[in-house]
Amino acid sequence: MIELLIEDDRGNVISHQLGEGRHTLGKSPDSDIMLMDSYASRYHADIVVARQGIFIIDANSKNGIRYKNKATKKTIKIESGESFKIGNLTLSVREPRFKLYIKHGRKVNDQSESVDLSEVHIDNIDETVTKLLYY
């Protein structure tokens, strides 16, 4: 489980506790975590919490993700205590301080392949998430 902190440009912070699985980020009400920012796409990215770590996967968004002051549309492995930006929002992950509620990610089907993050694109995101969660 991780805690995801979302801070806007005014300093307002929202906290989400995320269990193992895939969590969608975007402006769409159908997103697991709604992003209230004009630069966020309806379906902007996924956060995958897996045994291998925490991964941010851009969903072919218009404006991408900023990580370590660089724009990217690649899959990022992020460590507890690190941050990334989507539009004007700063998203940080850390170990949760309180474990009251857990938001579980979506279930994915089992497949038996090795994880190759260099080939992650929106067209094979389900396959990649499956690999991260089960291998």
Side-chain angles (χ1 to χ4, degrees), residues 65-72 83-85:
I65 298 166
R66 293 195 62 80
Y67 176 66
K68 295 187 177 180
N69 293 320
K70 293 182 182 176
T72 185
S83 299
F84 61 98
K85 289 185 74 83

Side-chain angles (χ1 to χ4, degrees), residues 101-119:
Y101 302 100
I102 300 173
K103 185 173 185 177
H104 292 285
R106 298 177 183 174
K107 301 276 187 216
V108 291
N109 295 328
D110 192 3
Q111 294 182 3
S112 59
E113 297 178 27
S114 63
V115 178
D116 181 5
L117 297 177
S118 64
E119 297 298 321

Side-chain angles (χ1 to χ4, degrees), residues 11-94:
N12 300 311
V13 178
I14 296 173
S15 173
H16 298 272
Q17 290 195 7
L18 307 177
E20 188 174 276
R22 173 184 176 183
H23 308 275
T24 58
L25 303 172
K27 280 197 289 195
S28 170
D30 294 331
S31 296
D32 296 324
I33 300 169
M34 243 175 108
L35 301 177
M36 303 304 289
D37 187 89
S38 58
Y39 293 103
S41 297
R42 279 176 271 197
Y43 174 51
H44 200 100
D46 286 310
I47 294 182
V48 177
V49 180
R51 289 183 297 270
Q52 298 90 338
I54 305 160
F55 299 87
I56 312 303
I57 303 171
D58 185 81
N60 201 24
S61 63
K62 181 178 179 183
N63 295 308
I65 298 166
R66 293 195 62 80
Y67 176 66
K68 295 187 177 180
N69 293 320
K70 293 182 182 176
T72 185
K73 289 192 173 195
K74 295 182 178 180
T75 298
I76 302 163
K77 182 175 183 183
I78 190 167
E79 301 295 329
S80 181
E82 291 187 314
S83 299
F84 61 98
K85 289 185 74 83
I86 293 178
N88 294 314
L89 301 173
T90 301
L91 295 89
S92 306
V93 296
R94 69 179 186 192

